């Protein structure tokens, strides 16, 4: 069901669409950054939002703000992920959208020469195994409904190499991209779309702090961004809302880049 009635955002002025009225969206990592911005956006489009996070305080605050429910979950634990999608279904009666977004980017994941097996494995678990688990436990609900949209957060580093390596992170995002493509193909005729969202660098508090301390580090990256700035979390959330909605009904198994043109650039404007 799509309600096309324009509605006002919290700010009062900007008209937004209401493409997700009556839909239930599960968001992992909803307590911060891209997940939080997406919780706000999907709720503003009428969705019932299930905010999942390992961080109880942040996840609860997000759920309260958007009028949804909070489920504390470690996305690396199969039984907890299973319980998450069951809670969504038991509360709202459907699982229409799964935004499998929780991820980490720890400092000890660096060059392959210095990254230990522990760091490698931890990043693979949180960034890649989690997406396997979330898809595995969301799909049966969508199969029964004959409809669903899964959006897995990969990254632009899944399609490009960086000399400033985070080797396990990059490999994990490559895995998310390939897995999403395969699932999108496998389940397409059951009405389920699976896409990999590939954001470019986003202005999160962590990134801001890092680059405020080290302008040279920021400049080294910014020179590769044609639009000349990093993304705001709301710009990524807008892409998720599109992929979640029926407006993207023919977008499936896609590498959905939201990167300001980074992956298409050779020489950028001065
Ligand atoms: N920020 C960027 O520049 C950028 C760029 C491309 C892709 N991404 C990806 O986008 C996603 C979100 O990134 P962000 O910048 O919003 O991060 P963030 O750190 O702001 O938020 C991540 C959230 O995930 C939660 N989380 C971490 N481990 C968890 C676990 N085991 N179980 C449940 N929840 C867990 C955290 O508590 C946090 O609330 C990640 O997958 C990240 O790799 C980020």
């Amino acid at each position: 069901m799509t309600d096309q009635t324009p509605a006002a955002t919290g700010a009062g002025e900007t008209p937004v669409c209401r493409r997700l009225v009556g839909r239930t969206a599960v968001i992992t990592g909803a307590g911060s950054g891209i997940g939080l911005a997406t919780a706000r956006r999907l709720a503003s489009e009428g969705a019932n939002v299930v905010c999942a996070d390992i961080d109880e305080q942040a996840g609860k605050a997000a759920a309260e703000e958007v009028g949804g429910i909070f489920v504390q979950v470690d996305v690396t634990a199969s039984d907890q992920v299973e319980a998450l999608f069951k809670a969504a279904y038991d509360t709202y009666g459907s699982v229409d959208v799964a935004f499998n977004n929780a991820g980490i980017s720890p400092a000890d994941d660096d060059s392959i020469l210095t990254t230990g097996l522990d760091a490698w494995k931890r990043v693979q678990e949180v960034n890649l195994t989690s997406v396997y688990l979330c898809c595995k436990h969301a799909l049966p609900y969508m199969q029964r409904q004959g409809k669903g949209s899964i959006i897995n957060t990969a990254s632009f580093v899944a399609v490009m190499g960086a000399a400033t390596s985070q080797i396990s992170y990059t490999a994990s995002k490559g895995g998310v991209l390939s897995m999403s493509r395969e699932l999108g193909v496998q389940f397409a005729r059951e009405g389920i779309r699976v896409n990999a969202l590939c954001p470019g660098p986003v202005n999160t508090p962590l990134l801001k702090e890092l680059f405020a301390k080290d302008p040279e580090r920021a400049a080294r990256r910014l020179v590769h961004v044609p639009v000349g700035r990093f993304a705001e979390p709301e710009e990524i959330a807008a892409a998720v809302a599109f992929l979640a909605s029926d407006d993207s009904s023919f977008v499936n198994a896609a590498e959905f880049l939201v990167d300001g043109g980074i992956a298409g650039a050779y020489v950028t404007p001065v």
Side-chain angles (χ1 to χ4, degrees):
M1 184 179 69
T2 302
D3 176 354
Q4 300 287 0
T5 317
T9 62
E13 293 296 320
T14 318
V16 295
C17 36
R18 301 271 294 167
R19 295 174 293 188
L20 301 171
V21 173
R23 307 270 173 92
T24 301
V26 176
I27 301 174
T28 67
S32 175
I34 295 169
L36 178 58
T38 302
R40 289 173 176 148
R41 175 67 190 243
L42 300 195
S44 83
E45 294 222 20
N48 307 312
V49 178
V50 178
C51 294
D53 209 293
I54 200 167
D55 181 332
E56 185 177 7
Q57 207 182 348
K60 259 190 186 158
E64 267 166 33
E65 184 189 330
V66 304
I69 61 163
F70 167 63
V71 180
Q72 188 171 24
V73 60
D74 177 348
V75 289
T76 67
S78 185
D79 55 340
Q80 293 184 34
V81 173
E82 188 174 9
L84 165 66
F85 287 99
K86 185 174 184 310
Y89 182 80
D90 289 349
T91 307
Y92 295 117
S94 65
V95 177
D96 304 289
V97 177
F99 181 37
N100 304 321
N101 165 75
I104 56 170
S105 166
D108 56 356
D109 175 25
D110 201 280
S111 160
I112 193 167
L113 300 175
T114 53
T115 301
L117 197 53
D118 282 356
W120 167 271
K121 283 184 177 168
R122 192 167 70 255
V123 172
Q124 293 298 317
E125 284 278 299
V126 180
N127 290 8
L128 180 57
T129 307
S130 68
V131 175
Y132 151 77
L133 290 174
C134 288
C135 292
K136 188 181 178 69
H137 292 301
L139 277 163
Y141 294 99
M142 296 180 173
Q143 285 182 298
R144 283 200 288 277
Q145 293 160 191
K147 191 169 168 48
S149 174
I150 295 178
I151 302 131
N152 296 325
T153 305
S155 166
F156 72 110
V157 300
V159 300
M160 305 181 72
T164 50
S165 184
Q166 294 178 285
I167 194 61
S168 187
Y169 182 90
T170 298
S172 73
K173 295 303 186 179
V176 170
L177 179 59
S178 305
M179 180 164 36
S180 306
R181 184 188 300 124
E182 186 140 301
L183 296 178
V185 172
Q186 184 182 352
F187 294 99
R189 295 196 188 183
E190 296 187 53
I192 302 165
R193 296 181 295 110
V194 186
N195 290 294
L197 177 79
C198 298
V202 183
N203 246 335
T204 55
L206 193 77
L207 191 109
K208 277 184 195 161
E209 193 195 311
L210 198 72
F211 293 149
K213 278 191 207 146
D214 192 344
E216 206 181 312
R217 219 168 148 173
R220 184 167 178 197
R221 286 158 177 82
L222 274 171
V223 73
H224 295 289
V225 190
V227 301
R229 63 174 178 83
F230 298 134
E232 294 303 324
E234 292 74 21
E235 293 176 292
I236 309 301
V240 181
F242 168 69
L243 291 172
S245 79
D246 294 344
D247 277 350
S248 60
S249 52
F250 210 62
V251 182
N252 183 36
E255 172 186 301
F256 201 87
L257 280 160
V258 186
D259 70 345
I262 298 173
Y266 172 36
V267 178
T268 55
V270 283

